[in-house]
Amino acid sequence: MSKDYSVPVLDGEGDNDYTRYMRTDTLLSLQRKPEDVIHRDELLFQVVHQSTELWLKLACHEVEEAARQIDAGRLDTAARLLARASLSARLTADQLEMMRHLAPWDFQIIRTVLGHGSGFESPGWKAARQVSQELDKSFRRLVEARGTDLVEVYRDGHDTPEYRLAEAMIDWDERISLWRTQHYKMATRVIGHSVVGTKGAPVEFLAKLIGHKFFPQLWELRTELTLSGPLGDAEAAPEFAEEATASACPMSGAGA
C-alpha cells in the first residue's frame, strides 16, 4: 500500500507538516492586520525588522556556542560557528536595502504608530552585545592559559587554529560594524540629519556607534604589527600631520 503524503504526521496547528513545523500560521500573523495599518509600507517596515531579529537570534546562538567551544579547546569548531554568525550579520545588513524603498514622507506617517519603540531596545542587538562579551572573555582565557603571543601568531601562524579563530572573531566584529554603518546611512536617508529618533536619541548618535569594537585587543594587534613592521617608522606628510595627531588618540567607541 502506498503512503499517503497528503496526511500530516506532525503534531501542531496547520493543514500540513510544513505549516506545523515552521509554525507559519503564527509567523505570518505577527504583522499588523490590514485593518490596523495606517500606511501600506508598515508591512515592509515590520518584515525588515522582524526578520532582523530572527537572523540575530541565529547569530547569537552560534556565537554563544563558539564561546563554549573555545573553553573546550575546540578552536576550529568555534571559528566555523562564528562564520555562520558573520553570514547572519551580513544578511541582516543586506536586507536594509529594502528600506531604500520606503519614502521619507511615508515613514513620517509610520512613525506616528511606533510609540517610543527604537532599535536600541532590540532583543537581538542586546543579545549580540552580551554573547560577544562572553566570546571575548573565552578568548582571553584561552590566550592567558596557553601563554599565546598573538603578535607571533599573526607573524608566523597563519595555518594555526588560534589564527583562524582570531580572524573569525574579527569577521564577526567587522560585520556588526558594517551593519551599524549601513543602518546609520539608511536612517539619515529616511529621516535626515540633526533630528531626534523615536527614543529621543539624535540620529548622529548612531554614527558614534560605528567605531565600537567587541574585541579591541585584536584590532590593536594590527596597529602593533604595522608599527613594528618594515615601514613602521613612517611619518605623516605635513599636510596630514594634524589628522595623524588626532587619530593617535581617538575617542573610545560607545556601546551598541
Side-chain angles (χ1 to χ4, degrees):
M1 183 176 180
S2 62
K3 180 182 292 187
D4 185 356
Y5 287 97
S6 67
V7 178
V9 296
L10 299 179
D11 293 331
E13 299 178 358
D15 297 332
N16 54 68
D17 284 337
Y18 180 86
T19 298
R20 292 181 180 188
Y21 182 80
M22 295 297 177
R23 302 181 65 187
T24 53
D25 288 346
T26 299
L27 179 66
L28 299 177
S29 71
L30 298 178
Q31 296 73 46
R32 280 163 62 86
K33 296 179 174 61
E35 61 268 25
D36 295 331
V37 302
I38 64 171
H39 193 285
R40 67 176 306 277
D41 281 348
E42 284 188 63
L43 181 59
L44 181 156
F45 187 79
Q46 279 196 306
V47 166
V48 169
H49 287 79
Q50 288 181 344
S51 55
T52 291
E53 295 298 336
L54 288 174
W55 281 121
L56 289 175
K57 182 176 183 177
L58 174 60
C60 293
H61 177 69
E62 305 295 10
V63 173
E64 188 175 33
E65 179 61 24
R68 286 194 286 265
Q69 292 295 323
I70 293 173
D71 289 335
R74 293 188 282 268
L75 307 193
D76 280 333
T77 300
R80 177 175 58 82
L81 294 173
L82 289 175
R84 290 185 182 184
S86 294
L87 179 55
S88 297
R90 193 193 86 184
L91 294 173
T92 298
D94 287 347
Q95 68 187 20
L96 287 176
E97 287 292 309
M98 185 61 73
M99 296 293 285
R100 292 175 177 269
H101 298 274
L102 180 59
W105 184 250
D106 292 341
F107 180 64
Q108 295 307 314
I109 298 172
I110 294 173
R111 285 186 80 188
T112 63
V113 296
L114 298 182
H116 295 155
S118 166
F120 291 115
E121 298 167 319
S122 159
W125 289 115
K126 288 181 179 179
R129 291 195 298 271
Q130 180 177 352
V131 297
S132 296
Q133 290 169 1
E134 293 305 314
L135 179 66
D136 186 47
K137 291 177 183 177
S138 292
F139 183 73
R140 289 175 181 273
R141 284 195 297 267
L142 173 79
V143 170
E144 182 176 356
R146 294 189 175 185
T148 303
D149 186 331
L150 289 175
V151 173
E152 291 304 313
V153 166
Y154 267 75
R155 283 176 176 157
D156 306 318
H158 298 176
D159 294 321
T160 65
E162 290 84 358
Y163 180 84
R164 289 190 291 269
L165 172 61
E167 285 298 279
M169 292 172 63
I170 283 290
D171 287 342
W172 165 246
D173 207 344
E174 184 179 49
R175 283 296 175 189
I176 299 300
S177 182
L178 290 172
W179 179 89
R180 290 193 186 106
T181 302
Q182 199 161 339
H183 180 253
Y184 168 67
K185 297 303 293 184
M186 178 274 293
T188 55
R189 179 185 176 112
V190 174
I191 67 175
H193 295 272
S194 302
V195 294
V196 174
T198 48
K199 199 64 179 177
V203 70
E204 282 72 22
F205 180 72
L206 296 175
K208 296 181 179 180
L209 301 180
I210 293 172
H212 175 74
K213 299 175 177 62
F214 286 138
F215 316 119
Q217 177 186 20
L218 293 177
W219 292 102
E220 292 164 2
L221 170 64
R222 285 151 164 76
T223 302
E224 185 175 349
L225 289 170
T226 299
L227 293 177
S228 63
L231 297 179
D233 58 351
E235 296 183 359
E239 61 268 30
F240 299 117
E242 185 175 343
E243 289 81 356
T245 300
S247 64
C249 46
M251 296 177 62
S252 59

mmCIF file of all heavy atoms in Angstrom, residues 111-148:
data_model
loop_
_atom_site.group_PDB
_atom_site.id
_atom_site.type_symbol
_atom_site.label_atom_id
_atom_site.label_comp_id
_atom_site.label_asym_id
_atom_site.label_seq_id
_atom_site.Cartn_x
_atom_site.Cartn_y
_atom_site.Cartn_z
ATOM 1 N N ARG A 111 5.882 56.559 11.572
ATOM 2 C CA ARG A 111 6.461 56.907 12.882
ATOM 3 C C ARG A 111 5.394 57.204 13.918
ATOM 4 O O ARG A 111 5.609 56.998 15.117
ATOM 5 C CB ARG A 111 7.377 58.131 12.766
ATOM 6 C CG ARG A 111 8.710 57.873 12.126
ATOM 7 C CD ARG A 111 9.579 59.118 12.192
ATOM 8 N NE ARG A 111 10.206 59.273 13.499
ATOM 9 C CZ ARG A 111 10.891 60.351 13.875
ATOM 10 N NH1 ARG A 111 11.013 61.375 13.039
ATOM 11 N NH2 ARG A 111 11.447 60.410 15.055
ATOM 12 N N THR A 112 4.230 57.664 13.485
ATOM 13 C CA THR A 112 3.191 58.052 14.440
ATOM 14 C C THR A 112 2.614 56.862 15.195
ATOM 15 O O THR A 112 1.935 57.061 16.218
ATOM 16 C CB THR A 112 2.050 58.800 13.720
ATOM 17 O OG1 THR A 112 1.426 57.920 12.773
ATOM 18 C CG2 THR A 112 2.576 60.028 12.989
ATOM 19 N N VAL A 113 2.854 55.625 14.714
ATOM 20 C CA VAL A 113 2.321 54.452 15.416
ATOM 21 C C VAL A 113 3.432 53.626 16.068
ATOM 22 O O VAL A 113 3.173 52.537 16.591
ATOM 23 C CB VAL A 113 1.490 53.564 14.455
ATOM 24 C CG1 VAL A 113 0.270 54.317 13.968
ATOM 25 C CG2 VAL A 113 2.331 53.056 13.292
ATOM 26 N N LEU A 114 4.652 54.144 16.075
ATOM 27 C CA LEU A 114 5.767 53.391 16.658
ATOM 28 C C LEU A 114 5.933 53.650 18.151
ATOM 29 O O LEU A 114 6.722 52.960 18.807
ATOM 30 C CB LEU A 114 7.074 53.751 15.931
ATOM 31 C CG LEU A 114 7.147 53.418 14.438
ATOM 32 C CD1 LEU A 114 8.514 53.796 13.879
ATOM 33 C CD2 LEU A 114 6.851 51.945 14.199
ATOM 34 N N GLY A 115 5.225 54.633 18.673
ATOM 35 C CA GLY A 115 5.407 54.972 20.076
ATOM 36 C C GLY A 115 6.839 55.399 20.329
ATOM 37 O O GLY A 115 7.420 56.147 19.538
ATOM 38 N N HIS A 116 7.418 54.916 21.423
ATOM 39 C CA HIS A 116 8.819 55.196 21.727
ATOM 40 C C HIS A 116 9.710 54.018 21.334
ATOM 41 O O HIS A 116 10.844 53.907 21.809
ATOM 42 C CB HIS A 116 8.992 55.507 23.211
ATOM 43 C CG HIS A 116 8.289 56.768 23.632
ATOM 44 N ND1 HIS A 116 7.871 56.981 24.925
ATOM 45 C CD2 HIS A 116 7.908 57.860 22.924
ATOM 46 C CE1 HIS A 116 7.269 58.158 25.009
ATOM 47 N NE2 HIS A 116 7.279 58.707 23.806
ATOM 48 N N GLY A 117 9.176 53.137 20.502
ATOM 49 C CA GLY A 117 9.946 51.971 20.098
ATOM 50 C C GLY A 117 11.167 52.354 19.290
ATOM 51 O O GLY A 117 11.121 53.251 18.448
ATOM 52 N N SER A 118 12.273 51.672 19.543
ATOM 53 C CA SER A 118 13.536 52.003 18.893
ATOM 54 C C SER A 118 14.402 50.762 18.774
ATOM 55 O O SER A 118 14.292 49.821 19.568
ATOM 56 C CB SER A 118 14.283 53.070 19.709
ATOM 57 O OG SER A 118 15.624 53.183 19.294
ATOM 58 N N GLY A 119 15.289 50.771 17.778
ATOM 59 C CA GLY A 119 16.247 49.683 17.627
ATOM 60 C C GLY A 119 17.152 49.536 18.826
ATOM 61 O O GLY A 119 17.752 48.456 19.028
ATOM 62 N N PHE A 120 17.288 50.575 19.639
ATOM 63 C CA PHE A 120 18.094 50.465 20.854
ATOM 64 C C PHE A 120 17.516 49.415 21.807
ATOM 65 O O PHE A 120 18.209 48.930 22.699
ATOM 66 C CB PHE A 120 18.180 51.813 21.572
ATOM 67 C CG PHE A 120 18.977 52.839 20.830
ATOM 68 C CD1 PHE A 120 18.375 53.988 20.345
ATOM 69 C CD2 PHE A 120 20.337 52.670 20.612
ATOM 70 C CE1 PHE A 120 19.103 54.943 19.652
ATOM 71 C CE2 PHE A 120 21.078 53.616 19.922
ATOM 72 C CZ PHE A 120 20.453 54.755 19.437
ATOM 73 N N GLU A 121 16.232 49.110 21.639
ATOM 74 C CA GLU A 121 15.578 48.131 22.512
ATOM 75 C C GLU A 121 15.512 46.745 21.883
ATOM 76 O O GLU A 121 14.888 45.844 22.441
ATOM 77 C CB GLU A 121 14.162 48.617 22.827
ATOM 78 C CG GLU A 121 14.146 49.942 23.561
ATOM 79 C CD GLU A 121 12.766 50.592 23.592
ATOM 80 O OE1 GLU A 121 12.059 50.558 22.568
ATOM 81 O OE2 GLU A 121 12.411 51.142 24.649
ATOM 82 N N SER A 122 16.152 46.565 20.748
ATOM 83 C CA SER A 122 16.122 45.289 20.044
ATOM 84 C C SER A 122 16.696 44.173 20.909
ATOM 85 O O SER A 122 17.845 44.250 21.342
ATOM 86 C CB SER A 122 16.924 45.392 18.739
ATOM 87 O OG SER A 122 17.315 44.121 18.278
ATOM 88 N N PRO A 123 15.935 43.110 21.168
ATOM 89 C CA PRO A 123 16.492 41.985 21.939
ATOM 90 C C PRO A 123 17.647 41.312 21.207
ATOM 91 O O PRO A 123 18.580 40.804 21.838
ATOM 92 C CB PRO A 123 15.296 41.040 22.109
ATOM 93 C CG PRO A 123 14.338 41.419 21.033
ATOM 94 C CD PRO A 123 14.522 42.886 20.817
ATOM 95 N N GLY A 124 17.593 41.325 19.870
ATOM 96 C CA GLY A 124 18.671 40.706 19.103
ATOM 97 C C GLY A 124 19.987 41.426 19.273
ATOM 98 O O GLY A 124 21.037 40.790 19.467
ATOM 99 N N TRP A 125 19.962 42.761 19.218
ATOM 100 C CA TRP A 125 21.206 43.510 19.363
ATOM 101 C C TRP A 125 21.697 43.511 20.800
ATOM 102 O O TRP A 125 22.901 43.509 21.055
ATOM 103 C CB TRP A 125 21.031 44.937 18.841
ATOM 104 C CG TRP A 125 20.916 44.971 17.350
ATOM 105 C CD1 TRP A 125 19.841 45.352 16.606
ATOM 106 C CD2 TRP A 125 21.923 44.573 16.404
ATOM 107 N NE1 TRP A 125 20.115 45.211 15.265
ATOM 108 C CE2 TRP A 125 21.377 44.737 15.113
ATOM 109 C CE3 TRP A 125 23.217 44.082 16.530
ATOM 110 C CZ2 TRP A 125 22.085 44.432 13.959
ATOM 111 C CZ3 TRP A 125 23.931 43.778 15.378
ATOM 112 C CH2 TRP A 125 23.370 43.955 14.111
ATOM 113 N N LYS A 126 20.786 43.480 21.751
ATOM 114 C CA LYS A 126 21.207 43.339 23.149
ATOM 115 C C LYS A 126 21.912 41.996 23.352
ATOM 116 O O LYS A 126 22.942 41.915 24.024
ATOM 117 C CB LYS A 126 19.999 43.446 24.074
ATOM 118 C CG LYS A 126 19.417 44.853 24.195
ATOM 119 C CD LYS A 126 18.227 44.865 25.149
ATOM 120 C CE LYS A 126 17.661 46.272 25.289
ATOM 121 N NZ LYS A 126 16.484 46.307 26.208
ATOM 122 N N ALA A 127 21.345 40.955 22.763
ATOM 123 C CA ALA A 127 21.958 39.629 22.891
ATOM 124 C C ALA A 127 23.308 39.578 22.189
ATOM 125 O O ALA A 127 24.246 38.933 22.671
ATOM 126 C CB ALA A 127 21.018 38.571 22.311
ATOM 127 N N ALA A 128 23.422 40.271 21.040
ATOM 128 C CA ALA A 128 24.695 40.290 20.306
ATOM 129 C C ALA A 128 25.800 40.900 21.160
ATOM 130 O O ALA A 128 26.940 40.409 21.169
ATOM 131 C CB ALA A 128 24.541 41.057 18.996
ATOM 132 N N ARG A 129 25.482 41.958 21.881
ATOM 133 C CA ARG A 129 26.473 42.559 22.775
ATOM 134 C C ARG A 129 26.876 41.580 23.873
ATOM 135 O O ARG A 129 28.053 41.417 24.179
ATOM 136 C CB ARG A 129 25.912 43.846 23.398
ATOM 137 C CG ARG A 129 25.726 44.994 22.426
ATOM 138 C CD ARG A 129 25.535 46.313 23.157
ATOM 139 N NE ARG A 129 24.344 46.314 23.989
ATOM 140 C CZ ARG A 129 23.134 46.684 23.582
ATOM 141 N NH1 ARG A 129 22.951 47.042 22.317
ATOM 142 N NH2 ARG A 129 22.102 46.700 24.399
ATOM 143 N N GLN A 130 25.885 40.927 24.448
ATOM 144 C CA GLN A 130 26.162 40.036 25.568
ATOM 145 C C GLN A 130 27.005 38.840 25.149
ATOM 146 O O GLN A 130 28.017 38.512 25.794
ATOM 147 C CB GLN A 130 24.847 39.554 26.186
ATOM 148 C CG GLN A 130 25.040 38.625 27.372
ATOM 149 C CD GLN A 130 23.715 38.218 28.003
ATOM 150 O OE1 GLN A 130 22.666 38.742 27.659
ATOM 151 N NE2 GLN A 130 23.772 37.278 28.923
ATOM 152 N N VAL A 131 26.617 38.179 24.063
ATOM 153 C CA VAL A 131 27.367 36.979 23.662
ATOM 154 C C VAL A 131 28.760 37.341 23.156
ATOM 155 O O VAL A 131 29.707 36.545 23.304
ATOM 156 C CB VAL A 131 26.600 36.169 22.594
ATOM 157 C CG1 VAL A 131 25.279 35.657 23.162
ATOM 158 C CG2 VAL A 131 26.382 36.955 21.310
ATOM 159 N N SER A 132 28.905 38.533 22.588
ATOM 160 C CA SER A 132 30.233 38.956 22.129
ATOM 161 C C SER A 132 31.158 39.212 23.313
ATOM 162 O O SER A 132 32.359 38.918 23.250
ATOM 163 C CB SER A 132 30.120 40.213 21.257
ATOM 164 O OG SER A 132 29.394 39.936 20.075
ATOM 165 N N GLN A 133 30.612 39.745 24.399
ATOM 166 C CA GLN A 133 31.411 39.938 25.605
ATOM 167 C C GLN A 133 31.867 38.601 26.176
ATOM 168 O O GLN A 133 33.022 38.445 26.610
ATOM 169 C CB GLN A 133 30.589 40.710 26.645
ATOM 170 C CG GLN A 133 30.342 42.171 26.278
ATOM 171 C CD GLN A 133 29.318 42.831 27.180
ATOM 172 O OE1 GLN A 133 28.784 42.215 28.105
ATOM 173 N NE2 GLN A 133 29.031 44.093 26.909
ATOM 174 N N GLU A 134 30.969 37.614 26.151
ATOM 175 C CA GLU A 134 31.328 36.285 26.650
ATOM 176 C C GLU A 134 32.364 35.632 25.738
ATOM 177 O O GLU A 134 33.278 34.948 26.211
ATOM 178 C CB GLU A 134 30.081 35.405 26.756
ATOM 179 C CG GLU A 134 29.087 35.869 27.810
ATOM 180 C CD GLU A 134 29.723 36.013 29.181
ATOM 181 O OE1 GLU A 134 30.456 35.082 29.586
ATOM 182 O OE2 GLU A 134 29.491 37.045 29.840
ATOM 183 N N LEU A 135 32.237 35.854 24.438
ATOM 184 C CA LEU A 135 33.220 35.328 23.492
ATOM 185 C C LEU A 135 34.596 35.929 23.754
ATOM 186 O O LEU A 135 35.615 35.227 23.747
ATOM 187 C CB LEU A 135 32.773 35.628 22.057
ATOM 188 C CG LEU A 135 33.701 35.161 20.938
ATOM 189 C CD1 LEU A 135 33.778 33.645 20.895
ATOM 190 C CD2 LEU A 135 33.213 35.704 19.594
ATOM 191 N N ASP A 136 34.626 37.225 23.996
ATOM 192 C CA ASP A 136 35.891 37.894 24.272
ATOM 193 C C ASP A 136 36.529 37.333 25.541
ATOM 194 O O ASP A 136 37.750 37.101 25.596
ATOM 195 C CB ASP A 136 35.649 39.401 24.410
ATOM 196 C CG ASP A 136 36.944 40.192 24.544
ATOM 197 O OD1 ASP A 136 37.878 39.943 23.757
ATOM 198 O OD2 ASP A 136 37.032 41.056 25.437
ATOM 199 N N LYS A 137 35.718 37.095 26.556
ATOM 200 C CA LYS A 137 36.244 36.535 27.805
ATOM 201 C C LYS A 137 36.837 35.138 27.573
ATOM 202 O O LYS A 137 37.908 34.813 28.092
ATOM 203 C CB LYS A 137 35.136 36.472 28.855
ATOM 204 C CG LYS A 137 34.671 37.826 29.363
ATOM 205 C CD LYS A 137 33.516 37.667 30.335
ATOM 206 C CE LYS A 137 32.986 39.015 30.797
ATOM 207 N NZ LYS A 137 31.807 38.863 31.705
ATOM 208 N N SER A 138 36.123 34.330 26.777
ATOM 209 C CA SER A 138 36.619 32.976 26.497
ATOM 210 C C SER A 138 37.945 33.029 25.749
ATOM 211 O O SER A 138 38.868 32.255 26.031
ATOM 212 C CB SER A 138 35.577 32.193 25.690
ATOM 213 O OG SER A 138 34.430 31.932 26.456
ATOM 214 N N PHE A 139 38.033 33.938 24.804
ATOM 215 C CA PHE A 139 39.265 34.057 24.019
ATOM 216 C C PHE A 139 40.417 34.539 24.890
ATOM 217 O O PHE A 139 41.540 34.018 24.791
ATOM 218 C CB PHE A 139 39.050 35.023 22.855
ATOM 219 C CG PHE A 139 40.237 35.145 21.948
ATOM 220 C CD1 PHE A 139 40.587 34.118 21.080
ATOM 221 C CD2 PHE A 139 41.013 36.296 21.947
ATOM 222 C CE1 PHE A 139 41.678 34.219 20.240
ATOM 223 C CE2 PHE A 139 42.110 36.416 21.108
ATOM 224 C CZ PHE A 139 42.446 35.371 20.250
ATOM 225 N N ARG A 140 40.163 35.495 25.753
ATOM 226 C CA ARG A 140 41.217 35.997 26.634
ATOM 227 C C ARG A 140 41.686 34.903 27.601
ATOM 228 O O ARG A 140 42.874 34.797 27.911
ATOM 229 C CB ARG A 140 40.738 37.230 27.391
ATOM 230 C CG ARG A 140 40.594 38.476 26.506
ATOM 231 C CD ARG A 140 40.004 39.651 27.277
ATOM 232 N NE ARG A 140 39.848 40.827 26.438
ATOM 233 C CZ ARG A 140 40.777 41.750 26.223
ATOM 234 N NH1 ARG A 140 41.965 41.627 26.814
ATOM 235 N NH2 ARG A 140 40.542 42.788 25.452
ATOM 236 N N ARG A 141 40.739 34.099 28.084
ATOM 237 C CA ARG A 141 41.128 32.985 28.964
ATOM 238 C C ARG A 141 42.019 32.005 28.205
ATOM 239 O O ARG A 141 43.002 31.491 28.749
ATOM 240 C CB ARG A 141 39.888 32.271 29.491
ATOM 241 C CG ARG A 141 39.147 33.001 30.588
ATOM 242 C CD ARG A 141 38.167 32.087 31.310
ATOM 243 N NE ARG A 141 37.109 31.597 30.427
ATOM 244 C CZ ARG A 141 35.938 32.199 30.283
ATOM 245 N NH1 ARG A 141 35.670 33.325 30.958
ATOM 246 N NH2 ARG A 141 35.017 31.698 29.485
ATOM 247 N N LEU A 142 41.668 31.753 26.961
ATOM 248 C CA LEU A 142 42.459 30.841 26.136
ATOM 249 C C LEU A 142 43.880 31.358 25.960
ATOM 250 O O LEU A 142 44.853 30.613 26.139
ATOM 251 C CB LEU A 142 41.788 30.670 24.771
ATOM 252 C CG LEU A 142 42.581 29.885 23.729
ATOM 253 C CD1 LEU A 142 42.462 28.388 24.002
ATOM 254 C CD2 LEU A 142 42.111 30.218 22.320
ATOM 255 N N VAL A 143 44.003 32.622 25.588
ATOM 256 C CA VAL A 143 45.312 33.221 25.356
ATOM 257 C C VAL A 143 46.161 33.177 26.621
ATOM 258 O O VAL A 143 47.354 32.845 26.585
ATOM 259 C CB VAL A 143 45.152 34.672 24.842
ATOM 260 C CG1 VAL A 143 46.492 35.393 24.830
ATOM 261 C CG2 VAL A 143 44.530 34.675 23.449
ATOM 262 N N GLU A 144 45.530 33.500 27.751
ATOM 263 C CA GLU A 144 46.267 33.510 29.016
ATOM 264 C C GLU A 144 46.685 32.094 29.423
ATOM 265 O O GLU A 144 47.822 31.858 29.840
ATOM 266 C CB GLU A 144 45.403 34.131 30.116
ATOM 267 C CG GLU A 144 46.110 34.228 31.450
ATOM 268 C CD GLU A 144 45.273 34.928 32.508
ATOM 269 O OE1 GLU A 144 44.170 35.409 32.171
ATOM 270 O OE2 GLU A 144 45.730 34.978 33.661
ATOM 271 N N ALA A 145 45.768 31.136 29.282
ATOM 272 C CA ALA A 145 46.060 29.765 29.704
ATOM 273 C C ALA A 145 47.170 29.141 28.863
ATOM 274 O O ALA A 145 47.997 28.379 29.375
ATOM 275 C CB ALA A 145 44.794 28.918 29.617
ATOM 276 N N ARG A 146 47.192 29.471 27.576
ATOM 277 C CA ARG A 146 48.198 28.887 26.686
ATOM 278 C C ARG A 146 49.469 29.728 26.584
ATOM 279 O O ARG A 146 50.447 29.306 25.969
ATOM 280 C CB ARG A 146 47.611 28.704 25.275
ATOM 281 C CG ARG A 146 46.491 27.690 25.200
ATOM 282 C CD ARG A 146 46.094 27.393 23.766
ATOM 283 N NE ARG A 146 45.095 26.333 23.678
ATOM 284 C CZ ARG A 146 44.645 25.819 22.532
ATOM 285 N NH1 ARG A 146 45.115 26.277 21.373
ATOM 286 N NH2 ARG A 146 43.751 24.854 22.538
ATOM 287 N N GLY A 147 49.438 30.908 27.184
ATOM 288 C CA GLY A 147 50.586 31.798 27.062
ATOM 289 C C GLY A 147 50.827 32.211 25.618
ATOM 290 O O GLY A 147 51.982 32.360 25.188
ATOM 291 N N THR A 148 49.759 32.411 24.884
ATOM 292 C CA THR A 148 49.858 32.703 23.453
ATOM 293 C C THR A 148 50.329 34.126 23.205
ATOM 294 O O THR A 148 49.799 35.078 23.795
ATOM 295 C CB THR A 148 48.492 32.499 22.767
ATOM 296 O OG1 THR A 148 48.049 31.163 23.004
ATOM 297 C CG2 THR A 148 48.596 32.740 21.268
#
